[in-house]
Amino acid sequence: MNDKTTIIRKYFQDQGGILPLIPIFVPRRFGDAGRRLRLHPDDYYALGTKRGSIKERWFSSVIAAMNGPDAAPDEGMSYVNMKDACEEKISLKDFVDTLKGELIGESCYARHQTWPMYSKFFDYEGPLFHHMHLGFEEAARVGKLGKPEAYYYPPQYNNYPGKFPHTYFGFTSDVTKEDLVEALKDYMNRDLRITELSKAYRIELGTGWYTAPGVLHAPGSYLTYEPQWNSDVNAVFENITDNEIYDDSFLYENCPEDKVGDPEYVVSMMDWEKNVDPKYKEHFFRAPIVLSQDENHTQKQVVYGNEYIAAKELTVNPGCTAVITDDTAYGCIITQGYGKIDNHSCATATMLRFGQKSEDEFFVSYGAATKGVTVTNLSSTEPLVMLKHYPAPEQQ
């Protein structure tokens, strides 16, 4: 047993199976930052102007962001807050690889050999381009995984709506594949204005959506909590968004070499029936469902209705304590209030410097979750609110 393994096992035991995590912020070279991540105003270009502003915070991630040649190899990966236990940085992936089923559950580890999902805060001032994430079969052709994802709009992080608080999904039911192929042929010649073929929905705080792989979507400008699969594969159909121009490398970046420049192939990767579903909102909008409620707490299911990812929102009332049992390991982020999670202090971040540690993010092991976690709200006036992300039951 090497030193790192010894350190990991001892720390895991000392922490009661609950790991505090260090905040991980990710820049993107496109779009404008929404500035709702609770990051210090001076730090939105902490990685340099060439990298773009910071627009995302990643949670419980064991994968790196696909973020261009200037990104560090571990950009986007979560690290455990070792406090005084170790000077060495140790990633959540190291903990998963060492502890395996002891951390994430034997069944989950046997199925995936890793923690299979992560979540993020997605924070843009304006709308994002109309794009899709590839399905598993299509992504496998370029050595990647498909990417289902879900959205929830937490009121606590949305003090203002940005420039375009509406999200486009798919296309109107009269659009044909031939229409899209013809439009994409002009990707480098004109403004495609492709969202004229789509339909937008005004974002409702405290609700969400599920977006299947192969479905086009142009996310609106509220900060979004996004549980998703361990992948980062896109095809961007919109070439000009919010006065920003994208070349066709964004359209073809996840195509096999012999399909680069072939719009018919890109269109063939779509889940066509879902994209032109006339009842799209009926099928994919997600209002929260109350799972349990008493004088101490309310727990809601906020991501559900798919076979990959899930999330809950737990609210513990002022001055109250609740013992919450779950049937899987999960990552979590505190969005309001302060208190304790078992023996760990927890507190919502109000302003973080880049690289600063916090008390708002944790990874709860399978053993701790199934035994029951005691959540105590130490405020006499304010609720303690936590978002919890984890694989859907089919993947556990």
Side-chain angles (χ1 to χ4, degrees), residues 183 186-196 237-246:
D186 270 346
Y187 201 98
M188 297 296 290
N189 300 324
R190 64 179 177 86
D191 183 350
L192 298 184
R193 297 165 65 170
I194 204 158
T195 51
E196 291 179 355
F237 279 51
E238 188 173 15
N239 62 342
I240 300 177
T241 307
D242 200 22
N243 296 315
E244 195 163 23
I245 300 170
Y246 302 92

Side-chain angles (χ1 to χ4, degrees), residues 229 306-310 390-396:
W229 210 240
N306 72 89
E307 62 180 295
Y308 298 103
I309 46 182
Y390 55 94
E394 294 87 339
Q395 303 295 336
Q396 295 173 16

Side-chain angles (χ1 to χ4, degrees), residues 304-319:
Y304 56 91
N306 72 89
E307 62 180 295
Y308 298 103
I309 46 182
K312 298 174 183 176
E313 180 187 70
L314 172 66
T315 300
V316 178
N317 297 329

Side-chain angles (χ1 to χ4, degrees), residues 11-59:
Y11 190 76
F12 178 69
Q13 293 167 2
D14 290 347
Q15 301 305 308
I18 298 177
L19 302 174
L21 300 181
I22 297 171
I24 300 299
F25 294 100
V26 176
R28 295 294 190 183
R29 65 187 188 274
F30 46 79
D32 296 322
R35 296 178 178 266
R36 289 163 293 200
L37 292 172
R38 312 274 173 87
L39 186 62
H40 191 284
D42 291 346
D43 289 356
Y44 275 90
Y45 291 93
L47 292 170
T49 56
K50 181 180 178 182
R51 300 294 316 283
S53 56
I54 289 172
K55 305 176 186 75
E56 300 179 7
R57 180 177 170 185
W58 287 30
F59 308 120

Side-chain angles (χ1 to χ4, degrees), residues 287-294 297-302:
I289 299 171
V290 175
L291 299 174
S292 61
Q293 188 172 36
D294 59 26
H297 86 288
T298 300
Q299 183 157 249
K300 300 175 182 179
Q301 194 81 51
V302 296

Side-chain angles (χ1 to χ4, degrees), residues 206-246:
T207 71
W209 296 80
Y210 171 62
T211 302
V215 172
L216 273 288
H217 52 289
S221 56
Y222 271 119
L223 179 140
T224 310
Y225 170 67
E226 291 190 359
Q228 54 205 264
W229 210 240
N230 274 351
S231 182
D232 203 5
V233 285
N234 305 315
V236 177
F237 279 51
E238 188 173 15
N239 62 342
I240 300 177
T241 307
D242 200 22
N243 296 315
E244 195 163 23
I245 300 170
Y246 302 92

